Amino acid sequence: MDIYFGIDGTGPDDNDTYETDFRSSHVRQLYEQWHTPIAGYLRGPRWHGSGTPAKAKQGLEWVAEQWNKQQKLAKVRSALSAKPTRIFLSGYSRGGAAVIELAYELNKKGIPVHCMMLFDAVDRSPLENCDTISKNVKMVYHALRDPRAGSRESFGNCGLQHPSKGLPVFRKFMCTHGGVGGCPWDKNGKSGKIEEMSMKAKIAAVAAMGKPLADKHDFTNVTAAQDKAGALASWAWMQSNLSVARATGLDARTGTIGDFNLLPPNLA
């Protein structure tokens, strides 16, 4: 039985506002459309990001519990009806860093991860194991914002290395950090392109670093229309990889299970 667990990106403290802002996020859509009943999801850390390690710990407890339940069930099922238990993890932004940490902790328990799906995972938390993904993760796909988009230029990515050659598999998308994760911006600023700072943050940034540098951190090189297109493209790319992952690691008894045809997120 396949197990899914996802941790979403950083967002507002208020849960109702977060729910609205992240309703179409890719991590959430994977959770809502997952093909087995064993699926878990956590909202991402709050703006300050200090809660990231706690998210990883919560995820570890849930995933390990589900894994152990499946192992017990497998012992009482006949060999002909038992299906392999496979863990799929997904994370966006700081949530990506959290699931990388989660996988390290699963490795300590001898629990494998079949597939990890990351959306622009960023290293902006006190977690130590973010740069290299642990060896117990068999397949890794990481959708990244293209640097040419000029989005969140102060955000460094994590989850860029793996002990196995050829992993992670990357693709860059010409959209914002939000767009890659399924939360594209819906309007352009006065510049005609997306401006990522709130007015309050912009005033503080100008006071702290001067207007030219503040503008560099605020102004992007993509429009709202491009951001929506990038969000849909990152979703389609990850879905195609998920179809491959779902058909990998099965034996002759269970056979292949075909494409995982998810509905595209509603970004209207």
Side-chain angles (χ1 to χ4, degrees), residues 67-143:
W67 170 267
N68 290 332
K69 284 181 179 178
Q70 291 303 307
Q71 299 314 296
K72 290 178 181 178
L73 287 172
K75 291 180 180 179
V76 299
R77 292 173 180 153
S78 70
L80 292 177
S81 63
K83 293 184 178 180
T85 300
R86 304 182 301 178
I87 295 172
F88 293 73
L89 299 177
S90 183
Y92 164 46
S93 192
R94 282 192 179 103
V99 297
I100 293 170
E101 176 70 15
L102 194 168
Y104 269 99
E105 295 303 315
L106 290 173
N107 188 46
K108 293 177 183 178
K109 296 177 179 292
I111 300 176
V113 175
H114 183 68
C115 179
M116 181 179 287
M117 298 166 283
L118 299 173
F119 298 94
D120 216 27
V122 297
D123 186 8
R124 292 174 61 82
S125 69
L127 295 173
E128 297 179 358
N129 298 316
C130 290
D131 292 336
T132 301
I133 296 165
S134 59
K135 62 183 180 181
N136 62 322
V137 183
K138 181 179 179 180
M139 308 176 78
V140 187
Y141 302 101
H142 196 166

Side-chain angles (χ1 to χ4, degrees), residues 232-266:
L232 292 172
S234 67
W235 172 258
W237 179 74
M238 195 63 78
Q239 179 178 332
S240 68
N241 292 321
L242 179 55
S243 293
V244 172
R246 287 189 70 221
T248 302
L250 299 175
D251 55 29
R253 183 181 71 243
T254 53
T256 61
I257 51 180
D259 291 341
F260 189 14
N261 294 315
L262 297 164
L263 297 171
N266 181 7

Side-chain angles (χ1 to χ4, degrees), residues 153 197 202 205-219:
E153 293 176 303
M197 286 186 186
K202 191 177 298 187
V206 170
M209 62 183 71
K211 191 173 186 303
L213 192 54
D215 286 348
K216 177 177 174 57
H217 284 277
D218 182 22
F219 295 177

Side-chain angles (χ1 to χ4, degrees), residues 6-27:
I7 303 179
D8 228 325
T10 308
D13 289 357
D14 179 71
N15 286 330
D16 290 339
T17 303
Y18 188 97
E19 176 82 14
T20 299
D21 291 352
F22 283 76
R23 66 186 183 280
S24 65
S25 81
H26 296 338
V27 171

